[in-house]
Amino acid sequence: MDEKGITIDLSVQGMSCTACAARIEKNVGKMPGVEAVAVSYSARTAWVQYKPGMIEPSAIMQQIAKLGFKADLPENAKEGFEKERSRLRLRLIISMILTAPLLSAMVQHLAPFARIELPELLTNPWLQLVLATVIQFVIGLPFYIGAYHAIRSRATNMDVLVATGTSAAYLYSHFLVFNADRTALYAHEVPLYFETSAVVITAVLLGKFIEASVTSRAQQDASGYSKLLNTVVKVERAGVEMEIKTEFVRENDYVLVPAGQIIPVDGVITNGESEINESLLTGESVPLAKRPGDQVWAGTRNESSSLRIRTTAAGYATMLSRIVDLVRQAQRSKSLIQRQVDAVSAWFVPAMLLLSLGTFVIWVTAVDPGNWTTAFRCAVAVVLAACPCALGLATPISLVVASGRLAKRGIVVKEAGALERLAQLDMLVLDKTGTLTEGKPKIGSMHVTQGSKQGLLRLAAAVEANSTHPLAVAIRAEAVQTGLVPPAATDFSYTTGKGVEALVEQRRIGIGNAGFAALKKWGIGSPTIQRFAEERQKLGETVLYVADNNRVIGAISFIDAVKAFAKPAVTQLRKAGVTVVLATGDHPAPALSAAQTAGIDSSKVYANMLPEDKLELVERLKEQDYKVGMAGDGWNDAPALAAADVGLAMGDGTDAALTAGHITLLQPRMTAIPEALLISRLTVRNVRQNLTFAFIYNALIIPFAACGMLQPWMAGTAMAFSSVSVVGNAIRLGASLRRAAGQF
């Protein structure tokens, strides 16, 4: 639950195209207490945010049912979808069996088969009427139901097109059977279109079944994280081992995980040592050695030996579950392209119905005056050729495939628009610590003018006792390794990005960079300290000054190695046309040293940057019409991450970065950035291919139909398979993304 309300995910059955999803969004969004709603046709899901005191989920599900669809809880989604697909398969099989005899009349009109003698029974108009009636009103009943609910809601969808076109063909043929000259009718001189309505319904069912099958496969690939979720876990309580469902595991429970099993909870190892394979969660293929005191995550695999783990999070609170939620969030969100396509789809069906009517009028009054049969055939062909599904599926199915592939590589996209914007990136601002460098600095050397180095380290560790900054962590780690016990500190005073002061043993001890020393008017310290600082900074080390009652008594230098794959990543970004900029709060010397190691141009290095300075830099670059990305650790860089066109939060094996940026890299590997960029560009290219095909299809097939160059059954069959082609191209994207991942 958040401040705005509670959210719920529902599976939705019965949608025939994206217009159905738009109708659910519109109607549910108007309900009192509903704050936001997003429906995905490709995922067959609805996400609703609501006020619990004003409306309940049951009322939302009832409203969706009134619109002609079935809403269910997510745990029943797979079963419900399979039942829907089974019913679709049954309808398809029966329709194909009943349509086969009707095809004989059509076959006789084709030149190669004109001389083939068929049994008289197969061409009997009354048998055709019976078979077509069953197909039209029994097999095709769901199309009428869907069209009824759409029109009742003052909307249109694909069901309206199918019901209109096939009904026109059926009713026209029905009229001729009862009113045409019997001799001409049995001599097959009267044009009947029973086969048209039957073939179109069969083709649409076949297209829907294929679409449902490949979409289901794409959904399974994209939601591969579900395979990492254990349902039963062995816990130890009061010395007794028992098996319980994962959702009943509590914080501080002790979970036992044998070798070879998936770890079911987030926690800390208390007993045992093992290698943990985190590849399915983070994309890192090399197992990591873990021992008591190390953190482990749900969804990772225990490779070598049994572990006893103290639970810190279980069930929906684990990082894995939150990643699953973020992936779903991205899949249900809409990119700019998708919103534009939805706007076009909203008027597409009414426009096609008007065009069909116009085609009929023009044929019967101008092109071939008085020829009602030809006018009718052309008008029906226009209705059956029009396909809004290909347009509606072009974007979301590709995004589902891409977001699933990225997630398996440890790259979590939080919104579909971020993927689209990432593809346009031409400027990337990098933070230094934790992004370009390892983010785990170590103390390189110390210089003191008063007391000992151990004494200086002891005071510094006391002041940095509560800080999470990497340099503070390095100071505390060095103190522990040296065997020092820092004294208690009180009255802390922090200056973001510069330093901290605290009261230690009745003395005001401070530690910070040169800017902090100047701010606090500590003075420059002794010449030896200044020489020490200059020498260490020339070597690329970071220097902090330590003061006792506003007098500098020493300095500490830190070494933070540039990541091994930083230079290849920067090189790949340059080849992709992206300019890389380094923005850091560090001193110019270590910043330039790190930039040189990584292959970043020295003219693109900005040092001594506070969080607000990074924000200003990002905004300035955007004003210069650059598409700007910002990569940082998700904490101090949060303002810049939010302001950038694409914020990439670098993780460190924890869930800290999940709250920042538009895209989260679960492992702080630099190569994930060019990898995400390549995947985004391949995805956007695939989307554009889909849209191009959909627009070209409609631009070509509809004029052909209107000009009388397509039989209605041909137009209907083409319409059914156009959406299948779009889905197939999106599935092909999956293979392209797997090949792309092999480059990193």
Side-chain angles (χ1 to χ4, degrees), residues 545-582:
Y545 299 91
V546 181
D548 182 350
N549 289 329
N550 295 325
R551 183 167 58 90
V552 176
I553 60 172
I556 305 174
S557 71
F558 300 84
I559 301 171
D560 189 8
V562 173
K563 291 179 179 177
F565 294 100
K567 189 168 185 176
V570 170
T571 301
Q572 290 166 344
L573 287 167
R574 280 182 169 174
K575 288 181 179 178
V578 178
T579 301
V580 181
V581 172
L582 178 62

Side-chain angles (χ1 to χ4, degrees), residues 173-486:
S173 301
H174 184 279
F175 173 81
L176 291 178
V177 168
F178 283 94
N179 293 278
D181 180 78
R182 290 289 178 271
T183 303
L185 182 65
Y186 284 103
H188 310 298
E189 297 175 358
V190 178
L192 300 178
Y193 294 99
F194 285 126
E195 79 281 357
T196 294
S197 61
V199 168
V200 168
I201 288 176
T202 303
V204 171
L205 290 175
L206 178 59
K208 284 293 178 186
F209 180 74
I210 296 174
E211 176 193 316
S213 298
V214 295
T215 302
S216 175
R217 187 164 65 249
Q219 285 291 331
Q220 289 173 4
D221 291 342
S223 59
Y225 280 122
S226 60
K227 300 174 184 176
L228 309 180
L229 297 172
N230 285 6
T231 56
V232 178
V233 59
K234 182 179 288 186
V235 300
E236 179 187 305
R237 289 177 178 171
V240 178
E241 294 182 10
M242 62 185 75
E243 286 191 350
I244 62 175
K245 290 187 176 181
T246 307
E247 56 263 36
F248 297 134
V249 177
R250 301 189 298 264
E251 188 175 345
N252 293 321
D253 268 343
Y254 289 95
V255 175
L256 306 177
V257 184
Q261 286 196 4
I262 297 292
I263 296 174
V265 297
D266 292 352
V268 177
I269 297 174
T270 59
N271 295 96
E273 294 184 7
S274 183
E275 289 187 329
I276 306 299
N277 187 336
E278 299 182 343
S279 60
L280 293 177
L281 184 63
T282 65
E284 292 293 330
S285 58
V286 179
L288 300 176
K290 300 276 186 173
R291 53 185 56 86
D294 287 342
Q295 179 80 52
V296 292
W297 313 101
T300 58
R301 182 179 293 278
N302 177 20
E303 297 284 9
S304 345
S305 59
S306 298
L307 295 174
R308 183 171 181 263
I309 300 168
R310 180 176 58 82
T311 302
T312 57
Y316 295 111
T318 63
M319 183 175 74
L320 176 63
S321 293
R322 277 178 278 180
I323 291 172
V324 171
D325 288 340
L326 288 174
V327 172
R328 288 174 179 167
Q329 174 182 313
Q331 292 175 354
R332 69 174 173 250
S333 64
K334 294 182 180 180
S335 65
L336 177 61
I337 295 176
Q338 181 62 40
R339 289 194 293 270
Q340 293 171 341
V341 170
D342 286 349
V344 172
S345 299
W347 55 261
F348 183 87
V349 174
M352 291 303 101
L353 292 175
L354 289 175
L355 180 61
S356 175
L357 179 61
T359 298
F360 180 84
V361 172
I362 291 173
W363 269 94
V364 82
T365 59
V367 179
D368 193 358
N371 191 336
W372 293 77
T373 299
T374 301
F376 168 80
R377 178 171 57 81
C378 294
V380 171
V382 169
V383 173
L384 296 177
C387 182
C389 285
L391 285 173
L393 281 171
T395 301
I397 192 65
S398 296
L399 294 177
V400 165
V401 172
S403 60
R405 172 56 50 184
L406 283 165
K408 290 180 179 179
R409 297 290 295 169
I411 304 168
V412 179
V413 180
K414 299 182 184 179
E415 53 169 297
L419 204 61
E420 184 181 334
R421 297 193 301 273
L422 180 61
Q424 303 169 358
L425 204 69
D426 55 13
M427 180 71 71
L428 179 65
V429 180
L430 290 176
D431 177 41
K432 175 176 166 283
T433 305
T435 303
L436 188 65
T437 63
E438 293 291 347
K440 297 179 180 179
K442 298 179 180 180
I443 291 180
S445 59
M446 291 184 286
H447 180 81
V448 296
T449 58
Q450 178 181 317
S452 65
K453 291 182 179 180
Q454 288 82 359
L456 184 74
L457 181 61
R458 177 174 172 272
L459 294 174
V463 176
E464 297 284 20
N466 300 324
S467 176
T468 58
H469 192 282
L471 298 183
V473 174
I475 290 173
R476 295 199 301 270
E478 184 72 15
V480 170
Q481 187 174 351
T482 310
L484 297 176
V485 179

Side-chain angles (χ1 to χ4, degrees), residues 581-733:
V581 172
L582 178 62
T584 176
D586 212 343
H587 190 276
L592 288 168
S593 176
Q596 183 180 10
T597 303
I600 299 174
D601 194 319
S602 59
S603 64
K604 301 298 182 183
V605 176
Y606 297 83
N608 294 323
M609 299 283 283
L610 297 174
E612 54 265 33
D613 297 324
K614 295 180 183 179
L615 171 61
E616 183 182 351
L617 174 63
V618 168
E619 292 178 339
R620 186 166 69 248
L621 292 171
K622 289 174 65 177
E623 289 173 359
Q624 297 172 14
D625 292 330
Y626 288 109
K627 297 299 181 183
V628 183
M630 172 69 195
D633 60 14
W635 290 102
N636 293 334
D637 300 313
L641 287 168
D645 292 303
V646 182
L648 298 113
M650 306 290 290
D652 58 356
T654 72
D655 60 349
L658 290 180
T659 59
H662 308 105
I663 297 175
T664 295
L665 311 179
L666 296 180
Q667 286 292 326
R669 54 186 179 96
M670 279 285 292
T671 50
I673 299 177
E675 181 180 358
L677 178 67
L678 176 59
I679 289 177
S680 69
R681 290 181 175 178
L682 289 173
T683 301
V684 170
R685 185 175 72 182
N686 187 267
V687 167
R688 287 173 178 164
Q689 289 171 349
N690 289 342
L691 289 173
T692 299
F693 171 79
F695 278 114
I696 289 177
Y697 163 80
N698 283 290
L700 291 180
I701 202 79
I702 293 174
F704 268 85
C707 293
M709 301 173 69
L710 282 181
Q711 290 293 331
W713 70 269
M714 295 179 182
T717 303
M719 178 268 288
F721 283 96
S722 63
S723 59
V724 174
S725 300
V726 167
V727 174
N729 190 47
I731 295 300
R732 186 183 62 82
L733 172 65

Side-chain angles (χ1 to χ4, degrees), residues 108-146:
Q108 284 189 325
H109 293 293
L110 301 177
F113 306 102
R115 297 182 179 180
I116 296 178
E117 292 293 333
L118 296 174
E120 186 66 25
L121 177 64
L122 294 180
T123 59
N124 186 289
W126 296 100
L127 174 65
Q128 291 185 25
L129 172 62
V130 172
L131 295 177
T133 300
V134 175
I135 296 172
Q136 188 71 35
F137 298 110
V138 179
I139 305 301
L141 180 61
F143 293 121
Y144 285 100
I145 295 174

